Amino acid sequence: GAFYRNNTYPVLKSFLLALFTYQLAYYAWLKLEVVEEKHEQQGTIRGLEEEVKHAVRSAKEKASGVLKEGVAEVKSGVEQTKKKGWWPW
């Protein structure tokens, strides 16, 4: 009984100090993982935004090219109609 009376407080104190140190280290590690994951997600989002911008830009360029071709075809059709006259035969 004398052993427990003399050593209970120091053992309890050491255990609680170790538990506190573990919890502090665990919280710091968890916080670093969250920061790292957020950074990776932001990088992924930036990459996807750039990809979408590039796709939209190329679609606009393609559409403007198709529009220019269509306008040229309509103009050539109008010119041919003017040359032929009003009667289709």
Side-chain angles (χ1 to χ4, degrees):
F3 174 78
Y4 293 112
R5 246 183 258 136
N6 291 339
N7 295 323
T8 301
Y9 182 72
V11 169
L12 182 63
K13 185 177 177 182
S14 297
F15 175 74
L16 291 177
L17 186 62
L19 185 64
F20 175 74
T21 304
Y22 171 77
Q23 289 296 323
L24 188 66
Y26 179 77
Y27 176 74
W29 185 273
L30 188 65
K31 182 69 176 173
L32 288 173
E33 283 185 352
V34 167
V35 168
E36 181 182 6
E37 188 173 322
K38 187 182 283 188
H39 180 70
E40 288 176 358
Q41 287 177 351
Q42 287 175 350
T44 303
I45 289 170
R46 282 189 206 115
L48 291 173
E49 285 176 348
E50 289 298 321
E51 190 174 326
V52 167
K53 285 179 185 177
H54 178 69
V56 168
R57 190 178 311 123
S58 65
K60 281 183 181 179
E61 290 173 358
K62 185 177 179 182
S64 67
V66 169
L67 181 65
K68 288 178 184 177
E69 290 175 5
V71 169
E73 288 179 15
V74 169
K75 285 183 180 179
S76 67
V78 168
E79 292 298 323
Q80 287 177 358
T81 305
K82 284 182 181 178
K83 289 178 184 176
K84 286 183 180 179
W86 187 79
W87 295 99
W89 55 85

